[in-house]
């Protein structure tokens, strides 16, 4: 009985194989995987890939959102490099200063705090992780309630009334309107709300490091915890470090709204808080020169891509990427 | 410009108030120059101040010959009919109906009946405004100030003007720059932007005027009003 059944079975299978063409065979094996990914791929193409391509194309045109774009070649890029003095005097230095402090600074801060949290037992660690992560989620509400009252320009603002009471200053300082202080405050507020997804990923990576490595290292002669961090912890959590670095990079260069919200005016007074995203919005939405704004955004994209390559070279190892 | 900057640097006016409405109620600030929104807030949401406060005309600048200039801006929304429309007559009839006194008055009344006193509709129709439910003394002040309504001419590139005035004020108050120098720098920037936009729209070509751009002045607006039906 069994053999006859198996014989029948054996007769069935080759017939089916012959009837299947290459495509149907492929479809059976990998079709379901592709169909599950297709949802994401379609949305990615529509919302991320297509706008990038269109922005690249628009950057070579003159487009004022009402008439059809007029092709003008590289003129936008030439204007950006030679004639745009707001870009050269304010936007580029501001962006580089902001990115240099908030990017690595926020990243190192995230790593240090994650490392400190990894030493704690489970319950305090969870509570502190929630406390440190919440600013990145609530930055809008926190902005209105905390930062604007803290740095408010009249004598009733918290910082002003504190300093006035101690007689350190005689008149209230305009924190959010003065070009000297606005940048510093923007950096502070962004650092405070930079413990985002990258922080959580690094915490997870830290907790995942094999404790046997630490024991082996102690036997091998590592003297203090600092050496432990450099030689064992960081190399073991390279994927998480890379993820944190990319997230920090992207969010730093995308930060633009913070200056506008803090100072209450767009563009910020004397362009003190003008970052490259503000510059793009200025040319795009206030002056209706979409082609030029697209050109600036392509420059931003190239900057972020270059730095991203740098981060990948620094952090990735052959096993993962 | 000098007046704006000096009132903060020399005369010590507080540069920023977190909320004028609150400060007024607490008695911290006795006087202020503000807009219709603050007026409505104080009228409807400050019951303890009823009858204790009043409004007056804008502070005037006194010119050399003694005349007082109280010009201030006041426009909020406007209506537009595109020249390529296929229904110009109907659009005009619709706008005439919408801005007619009866429509404006009944719209105003319906808003207040449905949503409360805070939805006071500030009609552009003077006759309708005269029937608005606010005290008569306030109405007289507002109607008199309305005579001094003037907007800065909007030409391509004029957004730069507002921005640069703000920046110049900032430079004077925070960096201590001389007002004349600050304004001179701003004028250069504003002119450059206006030139750029004129080139873009085809009024200038390589610096040579090709088409005439008519800057709307207040006399022109008055003439348009007289020539309309």
């Amino acid at each position: 009985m069994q053999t006859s059944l198996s014989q029948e079975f054996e007769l069935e299978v080759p017939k089916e194989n012959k009837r299947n063409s290459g495509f149907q065979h492929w479809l059976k094996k990998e079709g379901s995987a592709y169909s599950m990914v297709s949802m994401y791929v379609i949305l990615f193409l529509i919302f991320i890939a297509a706008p990038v391509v269109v922005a690249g194309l628009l950057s070579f045109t003159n487009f004022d959102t009402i008439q059809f774009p007029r092709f003008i070649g590289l003129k936008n890029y030439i204007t950006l490099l030679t004639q745009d003095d707001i870009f050269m005097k304010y936007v580029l230095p501001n962006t580089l200063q902001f990115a240099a402090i908030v990017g690595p600074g926020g990243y190192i801060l995230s790593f240090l705090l994650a490392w400190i949290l990894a030493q704690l037992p489970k319950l305090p660690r969870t509570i502190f992780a929630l406390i440190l992560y919440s600013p990145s989620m609530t930055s809008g509400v926190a902005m209105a309630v905390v930062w604007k009252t803290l740095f408010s320009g009249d004598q009733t603002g918290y910082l002003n009334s504190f300093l006035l009471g101690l007689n350190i200053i005689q008149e209230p300082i305009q924190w959010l309107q003065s070009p000297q202080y606005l940048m510093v405050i923007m950096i502070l507020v962004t650092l405070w709300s930079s413990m985002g997804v990258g922080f959580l990923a690094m915490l997870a990576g830290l907790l995942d490091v094999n404790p046997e490595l630490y024991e082996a290292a102690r036997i091998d002669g590592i003297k203090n915890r600092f050496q432990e961090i450099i030689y064992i912890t960081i190399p073991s959590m390279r994927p998480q470090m890379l993820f944190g670095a990319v997230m920090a990079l992207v969010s730093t260069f995308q930060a633009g709204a913070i200056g506008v919200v803090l100072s209450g005016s767009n563009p910020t007074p004397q362009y003190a808080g003008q970052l490259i995203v503000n510059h793009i919005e200025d040319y795009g939405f206030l002056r209706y020169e979409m082609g030029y704004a697209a050109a600036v955004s392509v420059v931003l994209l190239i900057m972020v891509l270059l730095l991203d390559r740098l981060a990948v070279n620094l952090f990735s190892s052959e096993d993962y990427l | 410009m000098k007046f704006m900057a000096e009132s903060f640097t020399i005369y010590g006016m507080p540069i920023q108030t977190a909320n004028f409405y609150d400060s007024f109620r607490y008695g911290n600030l006795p006087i202020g120059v503000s807009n219709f929104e603050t007026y409505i807030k104080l009228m409807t949401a400050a019951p303890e101040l009823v009858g204790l406060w009043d409004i007056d005309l804008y502070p005037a600048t006194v010119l050399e010959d003694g005349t007082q200039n109280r010009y201030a801006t006041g426009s909020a929304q406007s209506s537009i009919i595109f020249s390529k429309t296929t229904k110009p007559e109907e659009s005009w009839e619709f706008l005439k109906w919408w801005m007619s006194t009866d429509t404006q008055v009944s719209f105003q009344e319906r808003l207040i009946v449905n949503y409360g006193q805070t939805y006071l509709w500030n009609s552009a129709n003077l006759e309708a405004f005269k029937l608005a439910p606010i005290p008569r003394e306030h109405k007289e002040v507002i109607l008199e100030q309305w005579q001094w309504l003037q907007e800065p001419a909007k030409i391509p590139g004029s957004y730069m003007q507002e921005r640069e005035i703000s920046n110049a004020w900032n430079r004077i108050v925070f960096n201590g720059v001389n007002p004349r120098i600050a304004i001179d720098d701003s004028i250069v920037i504003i002119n450059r932007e206006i030139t750029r936009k004129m080139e873009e729209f085809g009024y200038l070509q390589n610096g040579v005027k090709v088409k005439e751009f008519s800057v709307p002045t207040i006399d022109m607006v008055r003439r348009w009003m007289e020539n309309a039906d």
Side-chain angles (χ1 to χ4, degrees):
Chain A
M1 279 296 193
Q2 286 246 335
T3 46
S4 66
L5 259 175
S6 62
Q7 269 179 353
E8 282 177 1
F9 225 79
E10 270 182 327
L11 279 174
E12 293 286 330
V13 171
K15 269 197 207 160
E16 263 191 281
N17 261 340
K18 273 197 203 150
R19 264 189 264 137
N20 275 342
S21 63
F23 174 68
Q24 282 190 339
H25 186 68
W26 170 83
L27 199 64
K28 256 179 41 170
K29 290 196 95 164
E30 301 175 31
S32 54
Y34 273 103
S35 60
M36 279 194 261
V37 171
S38 67
M39 192 80 253
Y40 176 76
V41 169
I42 290 175
L43 288 174
F44 179 81
L45 283 176
I46 296 179
F47 290 109
I48 300 185
V52 171
V53 171
V54 171
L57 288 175
L58 273 182
S59 65
F60 295 111
T61 69
N62 224 344
F63 183 39
D64 63 355
T65 71
I66 297 183
Q67 304 166 326
F68 194 75
R70 267 186 309 132
F71 183 74
I72 54 172
L74 288 176
K75 191 148 178 279
N76 278 335
Y77 291 98
I78 298 176
T79 315
L80 176 64
L81 287 176
T82 58
Q83 274 187 18
D84 195 354
D85 53 346
I86 301 178
F87 183 72
M88 288 302 175
K89 269 203 300 189
Y90 297 107
V91 173
L92 207 53
N94 277 350
T95 311
L96 290 176
Q97 178 187 14
F98 186 80
I101 300 182
V102 170
Y107 186 59
I108 293 174
L109 201 60
S110 295
F111 177 73
L112 279 176
L113 284 173
W115 186 80
I116 293 174
L117 281 195
Q119 316 301 318
L120 296 175
K122 182 153 192 234
L123 187 60
R125 183 175 69 222
T126 316
I127 298 178
F128 275 109
L130 185 63
I131 293 176
L132 286 173
Y133 179 62
S134 49
S136 66
M137 290 191 289
T138 63
S139 53
V141 173
M143 186 66 57
V145 174
V146 175
W147 298 115
K148 283 193 134 170
T149 48
L150 195 67
F151 290 112
S152 169
D154 65 342
Q155 62 200 47
T156 58
Y158 290 164
L159 202 54
N160 272 335
S161 65
F162 178 67
L163 291 175
L164 278 172
L166 290 183
N167 248 329
I168 298 182
I169 54 176
Q170 261 62 53
E171 300 187 316
I173 299 185
Q174 296 296 309
W175 303 103
L176 299 176
Q177 300 295 319
S178 68
Q180 300 104 319
Y181 294 116
L182 183 61
M183 196 62 185
V184 174
I185 294 180
M186 274 168 60
I187 291 178
L188 268 174
V189 175
T190 315
L191 275 178
W192 181 77
S193 52
S194 70
M195 312 292 147
V197 182
F199 163 73
L200 289 182
M202 281 199 262
L203 184 58
L206 275 165
L207 294 172
D208 227 7
V209 173
N210 197 347
E212 291 176 5
L213 286 176
Y214 291 127
E215 291 175 12
R218 198 132 322 135
I219 297 177
D220 270 343
I222 279 193
K223 292 190 286 277
N224 50 25
R225 310 209 76 184
F226 182 62
Q227 281 183 334
E228 195 180 271
I229 295 181
I230 302 183
Y231 289 117
I232 305 194
T233 313
I234 294 187
S236 315
M237 43 180 275
R238 272 188 171 196
Q240 286 85 9
M241 301 283 278
L242 175 63
F243 178 70
V246 171
M247 294 303 284
L249 201 69
V250 169
S251 67
T252 304
F253 277 100
Q254 274 185 351
I258 181 130
V260 172
V261 172
L262 275 177
S263 72
S265 67
N266 185 11
T268 45
Q270 281 204 62
Y271 301 109
Q274 190 88 337
L275 301 174
I276 196 164
V277 171
N278 296 104
H279 198 61
I280 296 175
E281 284 174 356
D282 176 20
Y283 269 97
F285 298 126
L286 292 179
R287 309 195 201 195
Y288 291 104
E289 294 180 33
M290 296 286 178
Y292 188 74
V296 183
S297 67
V298 168
V299 166
L300 174 63
L301 178 67
I302 293 175
M303 265 174 23
V304 173
L305 274 178
L306 285 175
L307 286 169
D308 193 49
R309 284 287 109 200
L310 184 68
V312 167
N313 279 339
L314 210 56
F315 284 118
S316 76
S317 52
E318 298 77 36
D319 325 335
Y320 301 113
L321 265 171
Chain B
M1 189 59 142
K2 222 159 149 250
F3 169 69
M4 261 203 329
E6 272 177 9
S7 31
F8 296 107
T9 50
I10 300 186
Y11 295 101
M13 212 154 84
I15 294 186
Q16 193 185 36
T17 50
N19 198 336
F20 174 69
Y21 160 67
D22 268 336
S23 309
F24 193 66
R25 281 178 85 183
Y26 281 126
N28 286 336
L29 289 175
I31 190 171
V33 179
S34 187
N35 56 9
F36 194 64
E37 194 188 314
T38 318
Y39 175 71
I40 292 187
K41 269 196 220 171
L42 286 170
M43 284 282 286
T44 56
E48 74 274 7
L49 295 179
V50 166
L52 295 174
W53 63 284
D54 209 347
I55 60 173
D56 202 355
L57 300 170
Y58 263 80
T61 46
V62 183
L63 299 177
E64 286 111 25
D65 54 359
T67 54
Q68 297 173 335
N69 254 347
R70 291 184 197 277
Y71 283 118
T73 62
S75 324
Q77 300 161 330
S78 52
S79 316
I80 178 172
I81 303 181
F82 288 107
S83 60
K84 289 203 181 139
T85 176
T86 48
K87 300 190 178 173
E89 283 305 316
E90 286 94 324
S91 323
W92 179 235
E93 288 302 315
F94 174 71
L95 273 183
K96 273 207 298 198
W97 169 82
W98 167 242
M99 289 309 292
S100 70
T101 313
D102 292 332
T103 322
Q104 290 283 306
V105 168
S106 70
F107 182 64
Q108 190 172 277
E109 281 170 5
R110 279 204 206 157
L111 272 182
I112 293 190
V113 162
N114 277 335
Y115 298 113
Q117 186 68 16
T118 50
Y119 277 77
L120 192 61
W121 174 252
N122 195 4
S123 176
N125 187 327
L126 283 176
E127 304 298 318
F129 182 73
K130 283 185 192 152
L131 298 167
I134 52 180
R136 195 168 39 91
E137 305 83 30
H138 294 181
K139 259 191 258 199
E140 283 168 10
V141 170
I142 295 179
L143 281 170
E144 162 133 19
Q145 180 65 49
W146 219 322
Q147 315 257 355
W148 294 95
L149 182 70
Q150 191 185 34
E151 285 279 339
K154 293 253 190 282
I155 53 181
S158 63
Y159 51 81
M160 211 49 163
Q161 187 182 353
E162 187 211 330
R163 197 191 289 188
E164 279 304 314
I165 290 182
S166 210
N167 282 348
W169 177 86
N170 203 291
R171 277 200 288 270
I172 301 174
V173 172
F174 288 109
N175 293 355
V177 173
N178 185 317
R180 214 173 277 269
I181 298 180
I183 296 183
D184 273 341
D185 289 337
S186 294
I187 289 180
V188 169
I189 299 177
I190 297 174
N191 280 344
R192 201 185 295 160
E193 187 67 19
I194 295 181
T195 315
R196 267 185 70 227
K197 283 292 166 177
M198 289 292 191
E199 292 236 9
E200 183 183 324
F201 281 106
Y203 289 100
L204 291 178
Q205 232 164 13
N206 291 330
V208 178
K209 195 182 346 181
V210 167
K211 259 197 293 186
E212 185 75 36
F213 182 80
S214 47
V215 178
T217 60
I218 198 158
D219 302 309
M220 211 183 267
V221 175
R222 288 202 186 109
R223 245 184 296 133
W224 287 339
M225 275 168 55
E226 283 159 22
N227 290 340
D229 4 320

